[in-house]
């Protein structure tokens, strides 16, 4: 909308220090998006989002990786892997299952600690916690799901109860 300067005045008025740059809903040429990231990263923490909210838009693994790497190089502190609140686009298929080969390809080229995985559904959260550990960066979590997510991270729920125990404790519990 060509209102970036107006937006930044509001950001500064409220003393915000982080900004998301996303083209998931609006079409922004990638080079323009990266230029915006470069400009903003001089004064703000920038999170950029890769992927589309449109279920008809499918990026190849190479496109995901290229966009993530380019945006990190442009100054993003983190890249967000798009999934929508419904959890059925981007890194997930239309039934909400993780696109495992896509995630594995991304992780071979982009540092996990630089990615914020949108995981609005509990099975998605469990999958990422088991895959990348309890400190995995997860986003798009509903406010009423924050405490349940933390219990998953701590291994206090059945889904992750055995995931973070030492092997000797696992066998002791399993034989109990």
């Amino acid at each position: 909308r060509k209102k970036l300067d107006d937006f930044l005045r509001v950001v500064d008025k409220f003393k915000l220090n982080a900004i998301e740059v996303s083209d998931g809903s609006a079409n922004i040429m990638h080079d323009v998006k990266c230029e915006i990231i470069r400009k903003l990263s001089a004064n703000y923490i920038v999170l950029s989002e890769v992927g589309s909210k449109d279920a008809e838009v499918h990026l190849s693994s190479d496109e995901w990786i290229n966009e993530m790497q380019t945006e990190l190089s442009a100054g993003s502190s983190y890249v967000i892997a798009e999934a929508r609140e419904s959890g059925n686009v981007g890194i997930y298929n239309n039934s909400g299952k993780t696109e495992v080969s896509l995630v594995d390809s991304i992780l071979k080229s982009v540092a996990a600690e630089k990615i914020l995985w949108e995981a609005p559904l509990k099975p998605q959260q469990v999958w990422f916690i088991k895959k990348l550990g309890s400190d995995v960066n997860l986003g798009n979590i509903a406010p009423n799901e924050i405490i349940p997510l933390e219990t998953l991270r701590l291994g206090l729920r059945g889904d992750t109860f055995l995931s973070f125990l030492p092997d000797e404790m696992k066998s002791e519990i399993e034989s109990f």
Side-chain angles (χ1 to χ4, degrees):
R1 296 181 181 173
K2 300 183 182 186
K3 301 272 187 185
L4 185 58
D5 291 336
D6 294 338
F7 172 71
L8 292 177
R9 278 191 284 282
V10 172
V11 166
D12 292 340
K13 176 182 176 181
F14 290 103
K15 297 179 173 46
L16 303 174
N17 67 349
I19 297 174
E20 179 181 330
V21 178
S22 173
D23 56 357
S25 296
N27 291 327
I28 305 172
M29 297 298 297
H30 196 248
D31 59 331
V32 172
K33 181 181 179 185
C34 288
E35 188 53 42
I36 292 168
I37 292 168
R38 269 187 214 75
K39 177 181 178 177
L40 296 177
S41 66
N43 298 307
Y44 308 96
I45 297 166
V46 176
L47 295 92
S48 61
E49 189 168 56
V50 174
S52 176
K53 294 180 184 335
D54 183 347
E56 300 301 313
V57 175
H58 298 281
L59 300 178
S60 70
S61 295
D62 289 342
E63 289 171 312
W64 277 91
I65 292 164
N66 180 56
E67 288 191 19
M68 287 179 160
Q69 289 175 332
T70 305
E71 292 174 21
L72 287 166
S73 294
S76 283
S77 296
Y78 301 93
V79 288
I80 302 166
E82 176 64 68
R84 292 189 73 176
E85 294 80 8
S86 56
N88 63 354
V89 299
I91 56 173
Y92 305 108
N93 66 23
N94 60 3
S95 64
K97 300 281 186 210
T98 305
E99 295 284 2
V100 176
S101 62
L102 171 61
V103 171
D104 286 343
S105 293
I106 291 170
L107 288 169
K108 287 178 185 169
S109 300
V110 181
E113 61 273 7
K114 290 294 191 177
I115 305 170
L116 192 151
W117 306 96
E118 289 193 345
L121 305 177
K122 179 185 169 195
Q124 297 164 347
Q125 297 161 14
V126 170
W127 189 88
F128 274 106
I129 290 168
K130 286 182 173 182
K131 171 103 176 146
L132 297 173
S134 61
D135 289 334
V136 62
N137 298 320
L138 298 177
N140 215 340
I141 309 299
N144 63 327
E145 293 297 322
I146 293 172
I147 292 173
L149 171 58
E150 189 61 17
T151 62
L152 285 170
R153 289 181 184 277
L154 294 170
L156 297 176
R157 291 180 69 185
D159 303 281
T160 57
F161 185 72
L162 298 175
S163 298
F164 305 109
L165 293 176
D167 288 337
E168 62 274 2
M169 287 183 79
K170 283 182 194 175
S171 56
E172 201 173 299
I173 289 171
E174 289 169 343
S175 64
F176 185 62

